[in-house]
Amino acid sequence: KQEVTQIPAALSVPEGENLVLNCSFTDSAIYNLQWFRQDPGKGLTSLLLIQSSQREQTSGRLNASLDKSSGRSTLYIAASQPGDSATYLCAVIRYTGTASKLTFGTGTRLQVTL
Amino acid sequence: DTEVTQTPKHLVMGMTNKKSLKCEQHMGHRAMYWYKQKAKKPPELMFVYSYEKLSINESVPSRFSPECPNSSLLNLHLHALQPEDSALYLCASSQFLATEAFFGQGTRLTVV
C-alpha cells in the first residue's frame, strides 16, 4: 500500500524567506505527482503537475522536483508571502489500468508571517 | 476554464434523510472522482468514474451511492448516514487518466 509522508507537518516562516517542503512515497511505481494548496475549509487548488518523465516543473515562484528512484519530491517556494499561508498537499498518481488514483500526503501547514 | 462546481456548499442532514451532492465540469474531462476529507486529514478516495463507468470503489459503504448521468455530471446520493460521515466531500476531474486533476470547492456535510 502506498504511503505518502510530508515533512514538516507545520512550518512558520517570516515573509521573504525561501522554503522547501518535502514529500516522500514508498512505492516508486507512480505515474505522475501533483502538488496542491488548500485554504482552510476550501477545496484544493492545483499548483504543479510533474510527469514521471520529468525531474522538475516550475510555475512562477514555485519549483517542484521529482526523484522517483528515491521516492521523493520537493516543493520550493521562493520569496514567501503571507498569501502563501495554506496547507500544501502532494499527491502521487498511479494508473491502475482502468483508472488513476491520487494518494495524498499528510500535508504541510505553512504560515508566513509579516 | 478549469472549474469544477459542487453544490450545495453546505448540507445538514438527519440520519434518516436522503440527499444528493452534485458535481459539474465543462472541461471535457472523462475521469471524475469523489473524495472524502475529515478535519486536518488528507483527502481519501471514494470512487472513480472513467468514461462514465465506475472504475474504482474504495470499499465505500452502500449508504453512499455514486452516479454519473453524463460526461459532465457526477452525483453522490446519500442515505441513512451516520454522524461519523460528517466531512468535506470533494469532487475532482481530469482530462485523461493520470493527468492533472482539478478539484471543486467541496460540500461541507454535517450529519445530525
Side-chain angles (χ1 to χ4, degrees), chain A residues 6 21 34-49 59 61-62 75 77 79-91 102 104 107-112, chain B residues 37 43 88 90 100-105:
Chain A
Q6 290 184 243
L21 307 182
Q34 192 168 354
W35 282 93
F36 296 88
R37 69 171 279 169
Q38 185 173 32
D39 295 291
K42 303 291 187 183
L44 278 65
T45 300
S46 177
L47 297 174
L48 289 164
L49 173 78
S59 176
R61 294 183 293 109
L62 305 179
L75 179 66
I77 302 177
S80 57
Q81 303 170 358
D84 295 330
S85 298
T87 296
Y88 289 79
L89 294 158
C90 65
L102 278 76
F104 284 87
T108 293
R109 196 173 311 117
L110 172 66
Q111 184 175 14
V112 181
Chain B
Q37 186 178 27
L88 182 67
L90 295 162
E100 188 174 9
F102 296 92
F103 280 75
Q105 288 298 299

mmCIF file of all heavy atoms in Angstrom, chain A residues 6 21 34-49 59 61-62 75 77 79-91 102 104 107-112, chain B residues 37 43 88 90 100-105:
data_model
loop_
_atom_site.group_PDB
_atom_site.id
_atom_site.type_symbol
_atom_site.label_atom_id
_atom_site.label_comp_id
_atom_site.label_asym_id
_atom_site.label_seq_id
_atom_site.Cartn_x
_atom_site.Cartn_y
_atom_site.Cartn_z
ATOM 1 N N GLN A 6 4.638 13.788 4.398
ATOM 2 C CA GLN A 6 5.170 15.123 4.147
ATOM 3 C C GLN A 6 5.816 15.668 5.421
ATOM 4 O O GLN A 6 5.259 15.569 6.516
ATOM 5 C CB GLN A 6 4.053 16.068 3.685
ATOM 6 C CG GLN A 6 3.551 15.725 2.293
ATOM 7 C CD GLN A 6 2.527 16.697 1.794
ATOM 8 O OE1 GLN A 6 1.384 16.329 1.555
ATOM 9 N NE2 GLN A 6 2.937 17.957 1.613
ATOM 10 N N LEU A 21 9.416 22.291 0.961
ATOM 11 C CA LEU A 21 8.501 21.305 1.519
ATOM 12 C C LEU A 21 8.846 19.945 0.924
ATOM 13 O O LEU A 21 9.135 19.840 -0.273
ATOM 14 C CB LEU A 21 7.046 21.669 1.190
ATOM 15 C CG LEU A 21 6.601 23.088 1.556
ATOM 16 C CD1 LEU A 21 5.129 23.272 1.213
ATOM 17 C CD2 LEU A 21 6.869 23.408 3.008
ATOM 18 N N GLN A 34 1.475 15.391 -8.183
ATOM 19 C CA GLN A 34 0.845 16.712 -8.268
ATOM 20 C C GLN A 34 0.907 17.383 -6.902
ATOM 21 O O GLN A 34 0.702 16.737 -5.867
ATOM 22 C CB GLN A 34 -0.618 16.557 -8.723
ATOM 23 C CG GLN A 34 -1.294 17.856 -9.115
ATOM 24 C CD GLN A 34 -2.622 17.623 -9.834
ATOM 25 O OE1 GLN A 34 -3.003 16.483 -10.136
ATOM 26 N NE2 GLN A 34 -3.338 18.704 -10.121
ATOM 27 N N TRP A 35 1.181 18.681 -6.900
ATOM 28 C CA TRP A 35 1.170 19.489 -5.680
ATOM 29 C C TRP A 35 -0.074 20.373 -5.674
ATOM 30 O O TRP A 35 -0.438 20.957 -6.710
ATOM 31 C CB TRP A 35 2.414 20.365 -5.594
ATOM 32 C CG TRP A 35 3.646 19.635 -5.151
ATOM 33 C CD1 TRP A 35 4.596 19.041 -5.947
ATOM 34 C CD2 TRP A 35 4.087 19.444 -3.800
ATOM 35 N NE1 TRP A 35 5.582 18.480 -5.179
ATOM 36 C CE2 TRP A 35 5.299 18.716 -3.858
ATOM 37 C CE3 TRP A 35 3.578 19.810 -2.565
ATOM 38 C CZ2 TRP A 35 6.007 18.352 -2.710
ATOM 39 C CZ3 TRP A 35 4.290 19.455 -1.419
ATOM 40 C CH2 TRP A 35 5.489 18.732 -1.503
ATOM 41 N N PHE A 36 -0.684 20.474 -4.481
ATOM 42 C CA PHE A 36 -1.882 21.288 -4.286
ATOM 43 C C PHE A 36 -1.683 22.203 -3.081
ATOM 44 O O PHE A 36 -0.888 21.928 -2.188
ATOM 45 C CB PHE A 36 -3.105 20.407 -3.979
ATOM 46 C CG PHE A 36 -3.516 19.477 -5.070
ATOM 47 C CD1 PHE A 36 -2.965 18.205 -5.165
ATOM 48 C CD2 PHE A 36 -4.491 19.852 -5.993
ATOM 49 C CE1 PHE A 36 -3.362 17.328 -6.159
ATOM 50 C CE2 PHE A 36 -4.902 18.979 -6.987
ATOM 51 C CZ PHE A 36 -4.330 17.721 -7.075
ATOM 52 N N ARG A 37 -2.482 23.268 -3.043
ATOM 53 C CA ARG A 37 -2.634 24.027 -1.814
ATOM 54 C C ARG A 37 -4.108 24.011 -1.412
ATOM 55 O O ARG A 37 -5.006 23.917 -2.277
ATOM 56 C CB ARG A 37 -2.139 25.468 -1.941
ATOM 57 C CG ARG A 37 -2.948 26.382 -2.819
ATOM 58 C CD ARG A 37 -2.475 27.827 -2.693
ATOM 59 N NE ARG A 37 -3.026 28.494 -1.517
ATOM 60 C CZ ARG A 37 -2.606 29.671 -1.068
ATOM 61 N NH1 ARG A 37 -1.636 30.304 -1.686
ATOM 62 N NH2 ARG A 37 -3.155 30.226 0.002
ATOM 63 N N GLN A 38 -4.330 24.060 -0.116
ATOM 64 C CA GLN A 38 -5.703 24.060 0.383
ATOM 65 C C GLN A 38 -5.820 25.118 1.467
ATOM 66 O O GLN A 38 -5.110 25.070 2.479
ATOM 67 C CB GLN A 38 -6.098 22.688 0.949
ATOM 68 C CG GLN A 38 -7.557 22.615 1.366
ATOM 69 C CD GLN A 38 -7.983 21.214 1.776
ATOM 70 O OE1 GLN A 38 -7.199 20.442 2.307
ATOM 71 N NE2 GLN A 38 -9.260 20.887 1.524
ATOM 72 N N ASP A 39 -6.715 26.075 1.245
ATOM 73 C CA ASP A 39 -7.021 27.062 2.262
ATOM 74 C C ASP A 39 -8.047 26.462 3.217
ATOM 75 O O ASP A 39 -8.821 25.581 2.830
ATOM 76 C CB ASP A 39 -7.526 28.351 1.618
ATOM 77 C CG ASP A 39 -6.416 29.002 0.787
ATOM 78 O OD1 ASP A 39 -5.451 29.484 1.394
ATOM 79 O OD2 ASP A 39 -6.514 29.000 -0.455
ATOM 80 N N PRO A 40 -8.100 26.947 4.472
ATOM 81 C CA PRO A 40 -8.987 26.332 5.479
ATOM 82 C C PRO A 40 -10.430 26.212 5.009
ATOM 83 O O PRO A 40 -11.047 27.203 4.576
ATOM 84 C CB PRO A 40 -8.855 27.287 6.668
ATOM 85 C CG PRO A 40 -7.496 27.884 6.523
ATOM 86 C CD PRO A 40 -7.289 28.037 5.044
ATOM 87 N N GLY A 41 -10.975 25.017 5.088
ATOM 88 C CA GLY A 41 -12.378 24.775 4.735
ATOM 89 C C GLY A 41 -12.674 24.848 3.253
ATOM 90 O O GLY A 41 -13.848 24.810 2.857
ATOM 91 N N LYS A 42 -11.641 24.941 2.425
ATOM 92 C CA LYS A 42 -11.851 25.099 0.981
ATOM 93 C C LYS A 42 -11.415 23.851 0.224
ATOM 94 O O LYS A 42 -10.888 22.896 0.793
ATOM 95 C CB LYS A 42 -11.050 26.305 0.468
ATOM 96 C CG LYS A 42 -11.378 27.606 1.151
ATOM 97 C CD LYS A 42 -12.760 28.107 0.805
ATOM 98 C CE LYS A 42 -13.014 29.486 1.360
ATOM 99 N NZ LYS A 42 -14.396 29.941 1.086
ATOM 100 N N GLY A 43 -11.619 23.908 -1.093
ATOM 101 C CA GLY A 43 -11.162 22.817 -1.934
ATOM 102 C C GLY A 43 -9.671 22.908 -2.206
ATOM 103 O O GLY A 43 -8.965 23.709 -1.607
ATOM 104 N N LEU A 44 -9.208 22.068 -3.125
ATOM 105 C CA LEU A 44 -7.790 22.008 -3.457
ATOM 106 C C LEU A 44 -7.519 22.781 -4.738
ATOM 107 O O LEU A 44 -8.260 22.654 -5.716
ATOM 108 C CB LEU A 44 -7.359 20.557 -3.664
ATOM 109 C CG LEU A 44 -7.036 19.740 -2.412
ATOM 110 C CD1 LEU A 44 -8.242 19.534 -1.542
ATOM 111 C CD2 LEU A 44 -6.428 18.405 -2.816
ATOM 112 N N THR A 45 -6.438 23.546 -4.718
ATOM 113 C CA THR A 45 -6.010 24.282 -5.898
ATOM 114 C C THR A 45 -4.745 23.629 -6.436
ATOM 115 O O THR A 45 -3.766 23.463 -5.703
ATOM 116 C CB THR A 45 -5.714 25.761 -5.549
ATOM 117 O OG1 THR A 45 -6.909 26.359 -5.031
ATOM 118 C CG2 THR A 45 -5.252 26.522 -6.781
ATOM 119 N N SER A 46 -4.776 23.236 -7.701
ATOM 120 C CA SER A 46 -3.612 22.604 -8.300
ATOM 121 C C SER A 46 -2.494 23.626 -8.482
ATOM 122 O O SER A 46 -2.719 24.729 -8.968
ATOM 123 C CB SER A 46 -3.987 22.012 -9.657
ATOM 124 O OG SER A 46 -2.846 21.451 -10.289
ATOM 125 N N LEU A 47 -1.287 23.242 -8.073
ATOM 126 C CA LEU A 47 -0.112 24.115 -8.221
ATOM 127 C C LEU A 47 0.771 23.658 -9.375
ATOM 128 O O LEU A 47 1.124 24.438 -10.247
ATOM 129 C CB LEU A 47 0.689 24.132 -6.923
ATOM 130 C CG LEU A 47 -0.012 24.687 -5.689
ATOM 131 C CD1 LEU A 47 0.845 24.494 -4.452
ATOM 132 C CD2 LEU A 47 -0.371 26.151 -5.881
ATOM 133 N N LEU A 48 1.150 22.398 -9.337
ATOM 134 C CA LEU A 48 2.077 21.864 -10.334
ATOM 135 C C LEU A 48 1.813 20.387 -10.523
ATOM 136 O O LEU A 48 1.504 19.678 -9.563
ATOM 137 C CB LEU A 48 3.537 22.036 -9.873
ATOM 138 C CG LEU A 48 4.131 23.435 -9.859
ATOM 139 C CD1 LEU A 48 5.402 23.448 -9.029
ATOM 140 C CD2 LEU A 48 4.431 23.890 -11.287
ATOM 141 N N LEU A 49 1.971 19.924 -11.752
ATOM 142 C CA LEU A 49 1.958 18.500 -12.049
ATOM 143 C C LEU A 49 3.320 18.142 -12.611
ATOM 144 O O LEU A 49 3.792 18.798 -13.545
ATOM 145 C CB LEU A 49 0.876 18.160 -13.073
ATOM 146 C CG LEU A 49 0.886 16.727 -13.587
ATOM 147 C CD1 LEU A 49 0.264 15.792 -12.564
ATOM 148 C CD2 LEU A 49 0.157 16.594 -14.924
ATOM 149 N N SER A 59 6.533 27.026 -11.867
ATOM 150 C CA SER A 59 5.423 27.933 -12.126
ATOM 151 C C SER A 59 5.599 29.136 -11.220
ATOM 152 O O SER A 59 5.408 29.051 -10.005
ATOM 153 C CB SER A 59 4.083 27.247 -11.836
ATOM 154 O OG SER A 59 3.010 28.157 -11.990
ATOM 155 N N ARG A 61 6.863 31.504 -8.680
ATOM 156 C CA ARG A 61 7.799 31.351 -7.543
ATOM 157 C C ARG A 61 7.906 29.907 -7.049
ATOM 158 O O ARG A 61 8.607 29.637 -6.073
ATOM 159 C CB ARG A 61 7.341 32.250 -6.391
ATOM 160 C CG ARG A 61 7.425 33.748 -6.697
ATOM 161 C CD ARG A 61 7.023 34.597 -5.472
ATOM 162 N NE ARG A 61 5.612 34.444 -5.134
ATOM 163 C CZ ARG A 61 5.173 33.801 -4.063
ATOM 164 N NH1 ARG A 61 6.015 33.250 -3.198
ATOM 165 N NH2 ARG A 61 3.873 33.717 -3.822
ATOM 166 N N LEU A 62 7.214 29.009 -7.704
ATOM 167 C CA LEU A 62 7.209 27.616 -7.277
ATOM 168 C C LEU A 62 8.062 26.763 -8.200
ATOM 169 O O LEU A 62 8.038 26.940 -9.416
ATOM 170 C CB LEU A 62 5.773 27.068 -7.287
ATOM 171 C CG LEU A 62 4.722 27.818 -6.494
ATOM 172 C CD1 LEU A 62 3.371 27.130 -6.645
ATOM 173 C CD2 LEU A 62 5.101 27.935 -5.041
ATOM 174 N N LEU A 75 8.926 20.710 -2.988
ATOM 175 C CA LEU A 75 8.312 21.937 -3.497
ATOM 176 C C LEU A 75 9.081 23.107 -2.895
ATOM 177 O O LEU A 75 9.134 23.262 -1.675
ATOM 178 C CB LEU A 75 6.834 22.027 -3.112
ATOM 179 C CG LEU A 75 6.114 23.292 -3.583
ATOM 180 C CD1 LEU A 75 6.015 23.319 -5.114
ATOM 181 C CD2 LEU A 75 4.722 23.390 -2.972
ATOM 182 N N ILE A 77 9.458 27.110 -2.558
ATOM 183 C CA ILE A 77 8.718 28.363 -2.680
ATOM 184 C C ILE A 77 9.710 29.502 -2.451
ATOM 185 O O ILE A 77 10.337 29.597 -1.372
ATOM 186 C CB ILE A 77 7.569 28.464 -1.652
ATOM 187 C CG1 ILE A 77 6.605 27.285 -1.829
ATOM 188 C CG2 ILE A 77 6.815 29.784 -1.828
ATOM 189 C CD1 ILE A 77 5.470 27.252 -0.805
ATOM 190 N N ALA A 79 10.804 33.490 -2.033
ATOM 191 C CA ALA A 79 10.322 34.797 -1.566
ATOM 192 C C ALA A 79 8.890 34.694 -1.035
ATOM 193 O O ALA A 79 7.965 35.319 -1.575
ATOM 194 C CB ALA A 79 10.420 35.823 -2.683
ATOM 195 N N SER A 80 8.709 33.935 0.015
ATOM 196 C CA SER A 80 7.372 33.641 0.530
ATOM 197 C C SER A 80 6.612 34.915 0.920
ATOM 198 O O SER A 80 7.199 35.924 1.332
ATOM 199 C CB SER A 80 7.462 32.705 1.730
ATOM 200 O OG SER A 80 8.268 33.272 2.742
ATOM 201 N N GLN A 81 5.286 34.843 0.772
ATOM 202 C CA GLN A 81 4.393 35.961 1.076
ATOM 203 C C GLN A 81 3.286 35.487 2.020
ATOM 204 O O GLN A 81 2.961 34.300 2.023
ATOM 205 C CB GLN A 81 3.762 36.478 -0.224
ATOM 206 C CG GLN A 81 4.766 36.909 -1.271
ATOM 207 C CD GLN A 81 4.108 37.180 -2.614
ATOM 208 O OE1 GLN A 81 2.895 37.006 -2.785
ATOM 209 N NE2 GLN A 81 4.904 37.620 -3.581
ATOM 210 N N PRO A 82 2.679 36.399 2.785
ATOM 211 C CA PRO A 82 1.576 35.979 3.666
ATOM 212 C C PRO A 82 0.465 35.249 2.931
ATOM 213 O O PRO A 82 -0.167 34.340 3.482
ATOM 214 C CB PRO A 82 1.088 37.311 4.258
ATOM 215 C CG PRO A 82 2.309 38.174 4.279
ATOM 216 C CD PRO A 82 3.060 37.803 3.015
ATOM 217 N N GLY A 83 0.229 35.590 1.679
ATOM 218 C CA GLY A 83 -0.797 34.912 0.882
ATOM 219 C C GLY A 83 -0.457 33.465 0.565
ATOM 220 O O GLY A 83 -1.329 32.715 0.102
ATOM 221 N N ASP A 84 0.769 33.055 0.818
ATOM 222 C CA ASP A 84 1.151 31.656 0.621
ATOM 223 C C ASP A 84 0.711 30.782 1.790
ATOM 224 O O ASP A 84 0.816 29.556 1.715
ATOM 225 C CB ASP A 84 2.675 31.534 0.464
ATOM 226 C CG ASP A 84 3.197 32.203 -0.790
ATOM 227 O OD1 ASP A 84 2.458 32.273 -1.797
ATOM 228 O OD2 ASP A 84 4.358 32.679 -0.769
ATOM 229 N N SER A 85 0.238 31.386 2.857
ATOM 230 C CA SER A 85 -0.193 30.624 4.032
ATOM 231 C C SER A 85 -1.353 29.710 3.656
ATOM 232 O O SER A 85 -2.395 30.172 3.174
ATOM 233 C CB SER A 85 -0.607 31.573 5.160
ATOM 234 O OG SER A 85 0.482 32.373 5.580
ATOM 235 N N ALA A 86 -1.160 28.428 3.857
ATOM 236 C CA ALA A 86 -2.149 27.415 3.472
ATOM 237 C C ALA A 86 -1.569 26.052 3.851
ATOM 238 O O ALA A 86 -0.444 25.955 4.338
ATOM 239 C CB ALA A 86 -2.427 27.457 1.971
ATOM 240 N N THR A 87 -2.359 25.002 3.603
ATOM 241 C CA THR A 87 -1.832 23.639 3.721
ATOM 242 C C THR A 87 -1.443 23.158 2.329
ATOM 243 O O THR A 87 -2.211 23.326 1.377
ATOM 244 C CB THR A 87 -2.872 22.695 4.341
ATOM 245 O OG1 THR A 87 -3.148 23.102 5.686
ATOM 246 C CG2 THR A 87 -2.359 21.262 4.356
ATOM 247 N N TYR A 88 -0.252 22.607 2.239
ATOM 248 C CA TYR A 88 0.261 22.113 0.956
ATOM 249 C C TYR A 88 0.236 20.593 0.974
ATOM 250 O O TYR A 88 0.728 19.950 1.913
ATOM 251 C CB TYR A 88 1.669 22.646 0.709
ATOM 252 C CG TYR A 88 1.650 24.119 0.398
ATOM 253 C CD1 TYR A 88 1.521 25.053 1.430
ATOM 254 C CD2 TYR A 88 1.696 24.585 -0.909
ATOM 255 C CE1 TYR A 88 1.461 26.417 1.157
ATOM 256 C CE2 TYR A 88 1.640 25.935 -1.193
ATOM 257 C CZ TYR A 88 1.514 26.848 -0.159
ATOM 258 O OH TYR A 88 1.430 28.187 -0.425
ATOM 259 N N LEU A 89 -0.351 20.035 -0.068
ATOM 260 C CA LEU A 89 -0.501 18.587 -0.182
ATOM 261 C C LEU A 89 0.156 18.097 -1.461
ATOM 262 O O LEU A 89 -0.020 18.694 -2.528
ATOM 263 C CB LEU A 89 -1.990 18.209 -0.224
ATOM 264 C CG LEU A 89 -2.803 18.470 1.040
ATOM 265 C CD1 LEU A 89 -4.283 18.584 0.726
ATOM 266 C CD2 LEU A 89 -2.573 17.363 2.054
ATOM 267 N N CYS A 90 0.912 17.010 -1.342
ATOM 268 C CA CYS A 90 1.384 16.336 -2.545
ATOM 269 C C CYS A 90 0.497 15.111 -2.765
ATOM 270 O O CYS A 90 -0.074 14.578 -1.806
ATOM 271 C CB CYS A 90 2.848 15.932 -2.437
ATOM 272 S SG CYS A 90 3.211 14.693 -1.187
ATOM 273 N N ALA A 91 0.364 14.702 -4.007
ATOM 274 C CA ALA A 91 -0.429 13.527 -4.331
ATOM 275 C C ALA A 91 0.303 12.723 -5.396
ATOM 276 O O ALA A 91 0.659 13.268 -6.448
ATOM 277 C CB ALA A 91 -1.822 13.915 -4.819
ATOM 278 N N LEU A 102 -5.241 9.063 -7.050
ATOM 279 C CA LEU A 102 -4.392 10.022 -6.362
ATOM 280 C C LEU A 102 -4.343 9.626 -4.896
ATOM 281 O O LEU A 102 -5.387 9.507 -4.255
ATOM 282 C CB LEU A 102 -4.955 11.442 -6.465
ATOM 283 C CG LEU A 102 -4.686 12.248 -7.732
ATOM 284 C CD1 LEU A 102 -5.559 11.772 -8.867
ATOM 285 C CD2 LEU A 102 -4.902 13.729 -7.475
ATOM 286 N N PHE A 104 -2.883 10.994 -1.389
ATOM 287 C CA PHE A 104 -2.384 12.248 -0.842
ATOM 288 C C PHE A 104 -1.419 12.038 0.310
ATOM 289 O O PHE A 104 -1.521 11.069 1.068
ATOM 290 C CB PHE A 104 -3.554 13.109 -0.358
ATOM 291 C CG PHE A 104 -4.307 13.760 -1.474
ATOM 292 C CD1 PHE A 104 -5.342 13.100 -2.104
ATOM 293 C CD2 PHE A 104 -3.970 15.037 -1.901
ATOM 294 C CE1 PHE A 104 -6.034 13.692 -3.156
ATOM 295 C CE2 PHE A 104 -4.657 15.648 -2.936
ATOM 296 C CZ PHE A 104 -5.682 14.972 -3.565
ATOM 297 N N GLY A 107 0.341 16.300 4.377
ATOM 298 C CA GLY A 107 0.188 17.748 4.332
ATOM 299 C C GLY A 107 1.203 18.505 5.173
ATOM 300 O O GLY A 107 1.699 18.017 6.196
ATOM 301 N N THR A 108 1.533 19.718 4.719
ATOM 302 C CA THR A 108 2.354 20.656 5.484
ATOM 303 C C THR A 108 1.566 21.944 5.633
ATOM 304 O O THR A 108 1.158 22.549 4.633
ATOM 305 C CB THR A 108 3.687 20.955 4.778
ATOM 306 O OG1 THR A 108 4.502 19.794 4.752
ATOM 307 C CG2 THR A 108 4.440 22.066 5.521
ATOM 308 N N ARG A 109 1.343 22.346 6.888
ATOM 309 C CA ARG A 109 0.617 23.590 7.155
ATOM 310 C C ARG A 109 1.623 24.728 7.239
ATOM 311 O O ARG A 109 2.472 24.745 8.126
ATOM 312 C CB ARG A 109 -0.165 23.481 8.461
ATOM 313 C CG ARG A 109 -1.239 24.520 8.653
ATOM 314 C CD ARG A 109 -2.091 24.249 9.896
ATOM 315 N NE ARG A 109 -2.563 22.881 9.950
ATOM 316 C CZ ARG A 109 -2.231 22.012 10.901
ATOM 317 N NH1 ARG A 109 -1.425 22.354 11.883
ATOM 318 N NH2 ARG A 109 -2.705 20.785 10.874
ATOM 319 N N LEU A 110 1.541 25.660 6.304
ATOM 320 C CA LEU A 110 2.509 26.753 6.210
ATOM 321 C C LEU A 110 1.881 28.056 6.665
ATOM 322 O O LEU A 110 0.779 28.404 6.259
ATOM 323 C CB LEU A 110 2.995 26.905 4.765
ATOM 324 C CG LEU A 110 3.861 28.130 4.464
ATOM 325 C CD1 LEU A 110 5.190 28.040 5.199
ATOM 326 C CD2 LEU A 110 4.095 28.262 2.960
ATOM 327 N N GLN A 111 2.595 28.769 7.515
ATOM 328 C CA GLN A 111 2.199 30.121 7.902
ATOM 329 C C GLN A 111 3.356 31.064 7.593
ATOM 330 O O GLN A 111 4.476 30.834 8.033
ATOM 331 C CB GLN A 111 1.842 30.195 9.384
ATOM 332 C CG GLN A 111 1.336 31.563 9.799
ATOM 333 C CD GLN A 111 0.864 31.605 11.250
ATOM 334 O OE1 GLN A 111 1.140 30.701 12.025
ATOM 335 N NE2 GLN A 111 0.155 32.652 11.622
ATOM 336 N N VAL A 112 3.059 32.092 6.825
ATOM 337 C CA VAL A 112 4.060 33.111 6.502
ATOM 338 C C VAL A 112 3.662 34.382 7.244
ATOM 339 O O VAL A 112 2.577 34.921 7.037
ATOM 340 C CB VAL A 112 4.129 33.380 4.994
ATOM 341 C CG1 VAL A 112 5.198 34.436 4.692
ATOM 342 C CG2 VAL A 112 4.415 32.093 4.234
ATOM 343 N N GLN B 37 -12.868 14.121 2.982
ATOM 344 C CA GLN B 37 -11.790 14.675 3.791
ATOM 345 C C GLN B 37 -12.300 15.027 5.184
ATOM 346 O O GLN B 37 -13.172 15.887 5.330
ATOM 347 C CB GLN B 37 -11.181 15.915 3.122
ATOM 348 C CG GLN B 37 -9.957 16.453 3.851
ATOM 349 C CD GLN B 37 -9.339 17.642 3.162
ATOM 350 O OE1 GLN B 37 -9.999 18.391 2.455
ATOM 351 N NE2 GLN B 37 -8.030 17.832 3.353
ATOM 352 N N PRO B 43 -7.307 14.184 1.864
ATOM 353 C CA PRO B 43 -8.460 13.575 1.198
ATOM 354 C C PRO B 43 -8.247 12.079 0.973
ATOM 355 O O PRO B 43 -7.133 11.632 0.701
ATOM 356 C CB PRO B 43 -8.533 14.324 -0.139
ATOM 357 C CG PRO B 43 -7.797 15.595 0.090
ATOM 358 C CD PRO B 43 -6.715 15.263 1.058
ATOM 359 N N LEU B 88 -15.824 16.978 4.650
ATOM 360 C CA LEU B 88 -15.820 17.760 3.412
ATOM 361 C C LEU B 88 -15.747 16.765 2.258
ATOM 362 O O LEU B 88 -14.839 15.935 2.200
ATOM 363 C CB LEU B 88 -14.615 18.694 3.383
ATOM 364 C CG LEU B 88 -14.475 19.617 2.176
ATOM 365 C CD1 LEU B 88 -15.585 20.662 2.131
ATOM 366 C CD2 LEU B 88 -13.102 20.302 2.172
ATOM 367 N N LEU B 90 -15.234 16.178 -1.633
ATOM 368 C CA LEU B 90 -14.589 16.853 -2.750
ATOM 369 C C LEU B 90 -14.784 16.066 -4.034
ATOM 370 O O LEU B 90 -14.640 14.847 -4.063
ATOM 371 C CB LEU B 90 -13.087 16.996 -2.485
ATOM 372 C CG LEU B 90 -12.698 17.889 -1.313
ATOM 373 C CD1 LEU B 90 -11.261 17.609 -0.884
ATOM 374 C CD2 LEU B 90 -12.852 19.355 -1.687
ATOM 375 N N GLU B 100 -3.366 15.963 -14.920
ATOM 376 C CA GLU B 100 -3.632 16.926 -13.853
ATOM 377 C C GLU B 100 -5.088 16.877 -13.414
ATOM 378 O O GLU B 100 -6.004 16.934 -14.242
ATOM 379 C CB GLU B 100 -3.271 18.328 -14.322
ATOM 380 C CG GLU B 100 -3.320 19.383 -13.227
ATOM 381 C CD GLU B 100 -2.811 20.724 -13.701
ATOM 382 O OE1 GLU B 100 -2.580 20.877 -14.918
ATOM 383 O OE2 GLU B 100 -2.650 21.635 -12.862
ATOM 384 N N ALA B 101 -5.307 16.778 -12.124
ATOM 385 C CA ALA B 101 -6.649 16.738 -11.561
ATOM 386 C C ALA B 101 -7.034 18.108 -11.026
ATOM 387 O O ALA B 101 -6.212 18.812 -10.448
ATOM 388 C CB ALA B 101 -6.720 15.706 -10.441
ATOM 389 N N PHE B 102 -8.301 18.475 -11.239
ATOM 390 C CA PHE B 102 -8.839 19.740 -10.754
ATOM 391 C C PHE B 102 -9.973 19.449 -9.786
ATOM 392 O O PHE B 102 -10.836 18.611 -10.076
ATOM 393 C CB PHE B 102 -9.328 20.599 -11.924
ATOM 394 C CG PHE B 102 -8.226 21.000 -12.861
ATOM 395 C CD1 PHE B 102 -7.919 20.237 -13.972
ATOM 396 C CD2 PHE B 102 -7.480 22.147 -12.612
ATOM 397 C CE1 PHE B 102 -6.890 20.602 -14.832
ATOM 398 C CE2 PHE B 102 -6.455 22.518 -13.467
ATOM 399 C CZ PHE B 102 -6.153 21.744 -14.571
ATOM 400 N N PHE B 103 -9.953 20.155 -8.670
ATOM 401 C CA PHE B 103 -10.920 19.916 -7.610
ATOM 402 C C PHE B 103 -11.934 21.044 -7.495
ATOM 403 O O PHE B 103 -11.630 22.207 -7.767
ATOM 404 C CB PHE B 103 -10.200 19.771 -6.266
ATOM 405 C CG PHE B 103 -9.590 18.414 -6.056
ATOM 406 C CD1 PHE B 103 -8.434 18.057 -6.715
ATOM 407 C CD2 PHE B 103 -10.194 17.503 -5.211
ATOM 408 C CE1 PHE B 103 -7.878 16.798 -6.536
ATOM 409 C CE2 PHE B 103 -9.639 16.243 -5.015
ATOM 410 C CZ PHE B 103 -8.486 15.895 -5.680
ATOM 411 N N GLY B 104 -13.129 20.671 -7.043
ATOM 412 C CA GLY B 104 -14.119 21.664 -6.682
ATOM 413 C C GLY B 104 -13.879 22.185 -5.269
ATOM 414 O O GLY B 104 -12.939 21.755 -4.590
ATOM 415 N N GLN B 105 -14.734 23.120 -4.853
ATOM 416 C CA GLN B 105 -14.586 23.721 -3.530
ATOM 417 C C GLN B 105 -15.153 22.865 -2.409
ATOM 418 O O GLN B 105 -14.990 23.181 -1.238
ATOM 419 C CB GLN B 105 -15.261 25.107 -3.515
ATOM 420 C CG GLN B 105 -14.480 26.138 -4.308
ATOM 421 C CD GLN B 105 -13.097 26.362 -3.729
ATOM 422 O OE1 GLN B 105 -12.933 26.785 -2.591
ATOM 423 N NE2 GLN B 105 -12.066 26.054 -4.510
#
